[in-house]
Amino acid sequence: MSLRLVRPEDRRYPALRSTYTTAGAPAAIALPESAAEVAAAIAHGRERGLDIAVRSGGHGLAGTSTNRGGLVIDLSALHDVAVADPAARLVRVGAGARWADVAAALHPHGLAISSGDHGNVGVGGIATGGGVGWLARWYGLTIDHVRAAEVVLADGRIVRADAEHDPELLWAVRGAGAGAGIVTAFEIEAARVRDVGVAQLLVAADQDGAALRRWASALREAPRELTSEVIMLHNGRSPVMRVTAVVAGGDPRRVREIVEPLRRIGKVLDHRVDRAPYPVLLPPSHKHPNVAQQPVTITNGLLPAMDGDAAEAVMALVRSGRALVQLRSLGGAIHDVDRGATAYPHRHQHTLVLASMFPPDGRAELDAAWRVLAGRVDGAYGNFEGRRDRPAFARVYPGPTGERVAAAWRRYDPGAVFRPYPI
């Protein structure tokens, strides 16, 4: 079987070697067009003793989708999106598709899959790691709706994982798939939604975190149609909350009713509410090349509650001016799933806090700034965690979940070909 490989002397190499955040220098990049070619790429890397990185084509914030001196298996050619069963809303999605492609393909059918907040994000990474998207409180995580997966194992076998065929592999794929094999396609149950309400607000952020607490409280009490994200910005000496709120369903009166409590969380500097087709949130214009244009170091934590101490800690991190701080609302449908049902066990937390640091600052500076929050968070979301050590594994996969994940990785990948964390 012929295997397309791009090497450093190839003119395509500069456009393929990196992720959005990380400059890579692999010995070669494989561009498979089928699961069989993925298996051939794995064999090629193993025979030559190369480290293997897997890229589904998107951002790759954690930086693990490229390497130096190894082999990158780029899944971007596996990008087909098709409605396999309209009545069951079952969609087959190639792991190399980006969410802009998925949103555009499903919209004519009145369907959507909640995942990510940017159209350039790749399907494979999120659909094996979690999937916190614009409809998360209403729809749940992406992994909660993965019904089957086509997986290429380290030994080259191509297998199907579903509730009847290897359910343990399906369990691992949904939250810890990066260490089990390479998923080439997913069968995902989509949601029936065409339009959404989108509110954007600029809110003055109190130094003690009062506005932040009110935002979190409003989300906990809100109907689950509402999902929100906050980006903390600096406006001179005063921090500002840029709040984006998405309501599943586009009825204008219902949207205004659900969004109204957010206008009372603090001094509103600007706001607007619109109705839009869901793909507007993930437009094709997002699909830019990924050439390490935004180097970043990231970490995150999950907060069970945004109490006074937690809010003050977040604001202390913001006031340090060292990190970009983002928050995403959880709860709702995410909490409907038993913590043992998937390899993502974080089913009681209400807020995800993400901190990003940009050059010249790096890991040491981020760790120092994060200490103010480190003792208050409970767990972490793997796709937003740049560390790949044992403590990070314990945060992402705590307790019994970690033991089961480690056992699954050893079973399906005994040679540690794909191992994202030491176990």
Side-chain angles (χ1 to χ4, degrees):
M1 177 181 296
S2 62
L3 182 63
R4 292 194 302 159
L5 291 174
V6 175
R7 302 185 188 278
E9 63 273 16
D10 193 300
R11 61 182 177 81
R12 295 171 295 173
Y13 184 83
L16 294 171
R17 70 178 192 167
S18 301
T19 70
Y20 180 68
T21 64
T22 307
I29 301 147
L31 300 171
E33 297 183 346
S34 67
E37 290 187 5
V38 170
I42 295 170
H44 176 89
R46 297 191 69 179
E47 289 166 2
R48 289 158 181 78
L50 299 175
D51 290 337
I52 294 177
V54 183
R55 182 168 63 220
S56 64
H59 270 135
L61 285 184
T64 58
S65 300
T66 189
N67 58 32
R68 291 185 173 272
L71 175 69
V72 172
I73 300 178
D74 186 311
L75 304 178
S76 57
L78 305 176
H79 58 255
D80 290 346
V81 182
V83 178
D85 185 338
R89 308 190 307 278
L90 195 65
V91 180
R92 183 175 173 88
V93 184
R98 303 190 203 185
W99 288 109
D101 303 322
V102 178
L106 296 187
H107 186 67
H109 301 276
L111 300 174
I113 297 170
S114 176
S115 192
D117 58 8
H118 195 277
N120 192 52
V121 174
V123 166
I126 276 189
T128 56
V132 179
W134 285 124
L135 304 174
R137 295 185 68 253
W138 178 69
Y139 176 85
L141 303 176
T142 310
I143 61 169
D144 298 339
H145 298 272
V146 171
R147 302 296 176 237
E150 179 183 75
V151 187
V152 184
L153 300 179
D155 61 9
R157 285 181 294 150
I158 302 170
V159 300
R160 177 182 173 86
D162 60 27
E164 297 180 354
H165 305 89
D166 210 337
E168 186 65 12
L169 179 56
L170 180 64
W171 179 88
V173 161
R174 296 186 297 181
I182 300 179
V183 179
T184 52
F186 302 86
E187 293 177 13
I188 305 175
E189 184 181 340
R192 198 167 298 284
V193 61
R194 189 178 293 275
D195 293 341
V196 293
V198 184
Q200 295 178 310
L201 304 91
L202 279 181
V203 181
D206 311 88
Q207 297 292 340
D208 63 357
L212 197 54
R213 292 198 308 273
R214 287 192 286 267
W215 168 80
S217 178
L219 264 296
R220 290 190 70 155
E221 297 172 5
R224 59 177 54 194
E225 294 104 301
L226 179 66
T227 299
S228 182
E229 175 190 77
V230 173
I231 298 178
M232 304 300 299
L233 305 173
H234 288 277
N235 181 23
R237 294 184 177 181
S238 303
V240 175
M241 300 166 58
R242 189 178 80 186
V243 181
T244 302
V246 175
V247 179
D251 177 74
R253 182 178 300 179
R254 178 67 173 162
V255 169
R256 288 193 297 270
E257 175 187 329
I258 291 176
V259 167
E260 180 61 27
L262 292 177
R263 298 182 59 189
R264 299 193 291 269
I265 65 174
K267 181 181 179 181
V268 176
L269 307 175
D270 192 14
H271 77 281
R272 63 177 295 165
V273 181
D274 299 293
R275 176 183 177 180
Y278 181 71
V280 167
L281 297 173
L282 306 163
S285 60
H286 282 179
K287 292 171 55 182
H288 52 69
N290 296 302
V291 291
Q293 61 265 56
Q294 186 58 81
V296 66
T297 306
I298 61 172
T299 193
N300 76 94
L302 300 161
L303 287 170
M306 185 70 74
D307 58 20
D309 289 344
E312 288 182 12
V314 172
M315 292 308 300
L317 178 60
V318 172
R319 288 195 303 271
S320 73
R322 305 293 296 277
L324 173 66
V325 178
Q326 300 169 264
L327 303 99
R328 303 186 184 196
S329 62
L330 307 173
I334 297 172
H335 289 186
D336 291 345
V337 179
D338 184 270
R339 64 173 297 160
T342 70
Y344 182 95
H346 308 293
R347 302 295 179 167
H348 66 280
Q349 299 92 331
H350 283 271
T351 306
L352 185 155
V353 184
L354 168 65
S356 306
M357 196 163 282
F358 306 94
D361 291 333
R363 174 57 58 184
E365 292 81 6
L366 180 58
D367 288 347
W370 184 256
R371 287 192 192 107
V372 69
L373 260 175
R376 304 186 187 282
V377 295
D378 179 12
Y381 176 42
N383 284 15
F384 288 159
E385 181 51 62
R387 279 200 178 277
R388 286 294 185 263
D389 53 19
R390 289 180 185 273
F393 177 86
R395 293 194 300 275
V396 175
Y397 305 112
T401 297
E403 296 172 6
R404 188 173 173 185
V405 166
W409 286 355
R410 292 188 183 106
R411 174 181 174 184
Y412 295 107
D413 180 19
V417 173
F418 307 119
R419 198 68 49 83
Y421 300 90
I423 54 175

